[in-house]
Amino acid sequence: MASTAPSTRARVHALLRYSDTSHASRRWRSVHLFVVGVGLLAIAISSTDGLPNWLTDLLTIAVIGVAMVFTAEYGMRLWSAPESPRFGGLSDGMARLRWAVSANGVTCLLAALPLFVITLGSMHADNEHAPVICILWVLGLTRHAPAMGTLARVISNERATLTSVAVIFVMVLIVAATAVHLMERNGQPKLFGTLPDALWWAVVTLTTTGYGDVVPLTVGGRMIGSVVMVSGILVLALMTGILATGFAEEERRREYLRVWDQVTRVPLFADLGTVTLSEIVGKLRVRHYPPRIVVVRRGEPGDSMFFISEGEVEVRLPRGGIALGQGAFFGEMALLDRLPRSATVVTTGPATLLVLYASDFYEIASHIPALVEAVEREARRRRAENQGDAAKAEAT
Ligand code: CMP
C-alpha cells in the first residue's frame, strides 16, 4: 500500500498542474472552469430580488456544492504539493506549508472559504456580501490564464524599454503640468492654482482619458493641451507596441518548448541532429484535437501535413479505414503532388498533432532532403496501395 502512495500522489499532482498538457488534466481544467461558471451564475441569480424560496435554497445548495469542489481541490493540492519540483529537497510537511503560503495556495484557500462561511451560517447565497465570493472565485481563474504569467515575464524582459518610455511619459507629464499651470493659474486658480491640480489635468489628458472636468481656457493652455494629447497617443502606442512584440516573442518561445517536448515522439525526427531538429521545431505547431474531428477532408486543397505525437487517427479510404498511430504522419500527399486531399482523416480519440504548413514544408525540402525523401517514400507506397485498391475495385 505504502509503495503505491507516492505514484498516486504524483498522478494527482500532474492532473492538477495548470501547465500539464495531458488529456485528463485538460479535462479537469474544463470541469474546473464549468464549476466556476455554475458558481458565478448561481451568485449572480441570487443577487436579484423577488426570487421564490425554493430557488434561493437551490442556488445556496449550488454555491455550497461549488465551494465543496474547491475545498476538495484545496485538499488534493495540499496533499500532492511535495511532488512539485519547486519543493524538491524539502520534507513533506515543509513542502505543504510552502505551498499553502504561496500565491497559488492562498488563492485556492480563498476559493474554498465560502463553504465554511455559508455552512457556519454567517452568510447566505443571497446575502448582500455574497458577491465577494464572486471575486474570490474569479481570482482563481487567473491560474487558468497563462497570459498572466506571460505578461509578468514580458514586463520583466522588456523592463529596460518600458522604463525608458515611462521616463518619457513622466517628463512630458511634468513639463505639461508646469506649462499649463503657468498659463492658467490666474484665470482658473481653483483648477490650475497648484502644480498637483495641474498634474491631475496632465494625467487625464496624457492618458487620453479626458474627463473634461478641468479644461484650459487660454490660447496657450489649449495649445499645450493639443501637444499633450498627441504625445499621449504616441506614448501609449509605444507601450502597446513593446508589449505586443514581447507577447509575440514569448508565445513563440513557449510554442518552441511545447513542440520540442512533443517532437521526440515522432521517430522520423529521431535521427536528425540538434541543429536540424531545432530548425524543424521552429516550424511545427502543436494542435490538440478532441475525438471524432475531421482533420483533413477528401477533395479539399492541402495547406499542411501532420505528425501524430499522441493518439490515433483514421484515414478513411474507399476500401475502409486505416489507423495511423503515434509517430506516423499524414497529409503529405497533397503537398507533394499539389493535388486535393486524397482521403478524409478523422481523430479516433483525443490526439496531439504537430502541424507543418506547406510553405515551411517546401522550405525544409531544400534544407533537409533526407527527411523529405522518407516522407516521399511513404507517400509513394500509399499511392501504390491506393491505386492497387482502385484497380482491384474496377476489375470486380
Ligand atoms: P493527403 O492526400 O494530403 O490527405 C489525406 C491523407 O491520407 C494523405 O495525404 C495521406 O497522408 C493519407 N493516406 C492516403 N492513403 C493512405 C494509405 N493507403 N495509407 C495510409 N495513409 C494514407
Side-chain angles (χ1 to χ4, degrees):
M1 256 332 250
S3 65
T4 60
S7 76
T8 311
R9 200 173 70 177
R11 274 206 300 275
V12 169
H13 181 260
L15 180 81
L16 296 176
R17 213 175 40 210
Y18 289 95
S19 55
D20 199 84
T21 54
S22 71
H23 297 293
S25 186
R26 276 186 284 135
R27 200 162 302 146
W28 156 249
R29 286 200 289 274
S30 309
V31 170
H32 193 267
L33 281 176
F34 176 75
V35 170
V36 175
V38 169
L40 295 181
L41 195 68
I43 291 181
I45 298 174
S46 313
S47 68
T48 55
D49 292 331
L51 293 177
N53 284 345
W54 66 265
L55 185 55
T56 310
D57 290 343
L58 192 73
L59 293 170
T60 305
I61 291 170
V63 172
I64 291 177
V66 171
M68 275 168 80
V69 173
F70 291 146
T71 309
E73 185 197 353
Y74 182 80
M76 285 198 296
R77 284 189 186 277
L78 189 66
W79 172 62
S80 62
E83 296 294 333
S84 169
R86 274 195 302 155
F87 306 130
L90 295 180
S91 68
D92 285 6
M94 200 57 201
R96 289 190 181 115
L97 183 69
R98 288 275 297 276
W99 179 80
V101 296
S102 70
N104 207 348
V106 173
T107 340
C108 253
L109 181 66
L110 288 178
L113 212 59
L115 178 66
F116 305 103
V117 182
I118 294 174
T119 49
L120 289 176
S122 45
M123 193 189 278
H124 204 243
D126 62 349
N127 183 288
E128 59 175 352
H129 301 301
V132 174
I133 300 175
C134 281
I135 298 175
L136 300 183
W137 286 349
V138 168
L139 270 182
L141 287 182
T142 54
R143 288 168 292 157
H144 283 279
M148 297 294 280
T150 312
L151 180 64
R153 249 192 318 278
V154 169
I155 291 177
S156 158
N157 292 348
E158 305 292 334
R159 60 185 179 279
T161 338
L162 287 172
T163 308
S164 21
V165 177
V167 169
I168 299 175
F169 184 87
V170 172
M171 275 167 52
V172 177
L173 199 72
I174 293 174
V175 170
T178 314
V180 85
H181 164 69
L182 294 175
M183 292 284 171
E184 300 286 330
R185 66 181 164 184
N186 295 330
Q188 303 188 73
K190 274 199 180 143
L191 301 177
F192 291 98
T194 66
L195 257 183
D197 286 338
L199 260 177
W200 166 248
W201 169 85
V203 172
V204 169
T205 311
L206 193 58
T207 55
T208 72
T209 309
Y211 289 131
D213 55 342
V214 188
V215 181
L217 296 177
T218 63
V219 174
R222 289 191 168 183
M223 281 168 68
I224 294 165
S226 311
V227 174
V228 173
M229 281 182 253
V230 174
S231 311
I233 293 172
L234 292 180
V235 170
L236 290 183
L238 265 177
M239 289 268 192
T240 314
I242 294 166
L243 288 179
T245 316
F247 251 102
E249 211 148 273
E250 193 58 32
E251 193 38 50
R252 227 183 9 248
R253 230 173 282 154
R254 285 160 63 100
E255 178 77 4
Y256 188 88
L257 291 178
R258 270 199 294 266
V259 175
W260 196 266
D261 198 38
Q262 300 284 338
V263 96
T264 50
R265 302 172 200 203
V266 181
L268 201 64
F269 301 129
D271 298 332
L272 299 177
T274 319
V275 178
T276 318
L277 195 58
S278 68
E279 192 187 336
I280 292 186
V281 166
K283 298 192 184 316
L284 292 167
R285 300 280 169 269
V286 180
R287 297 285 177 265
H288 301 289
Y289 288 84
R292 291 180 298 282
I293 288 288
V294 174
V295 185
V296 305
R297 199 180 292 277
R298 184 185 159 93
E300 282 182 354
D303 64 346
S304 49
M305 70 171 291
F306 303 82
F307 299 89
I308 307 171
S309 86
E310 260 181 284
E312 205 181 76
V313 299
E314 185 189 66
V315 182
R316 292 192 176 156
L317 293 163
R319 71 185 140 109
I322 295 184
L324 295 180
Q326 183 174 331
F329 57 84
F330 62 92
E332 78 294 351
M333 283 160 76
L335 301 192
L336 292 169
D337 305 340
R338 303 189 194 222
L339 285 172
R341 297 287 190 199
S342 61
T344 296
V345 182
V346 182
T347 55
T348 47
T352 305
L353 306 179
L354 296 169
V355 187
L356 181 64
Y357 289 102
S359 53
D360 294 324
F361 176 81
Y362 298 130
E363 200 184 318
I364 284 177
S366 56
H367 291 188
I368 317 164
L371 179 81
V372 180
E373 264 163 35
V375 172
E376 259 170 351
R377 217 175 307 126
E378 179 60 12
R380 264 198 305 275
R381 190 195 66 73
R382 290 175 178 177
R383 238 176 264 130
E385 198 175 80
N386 295 353
Q387 277 160 3
D389 287 339
K392 252 190 251 164
E394 238 168 66
T396 53

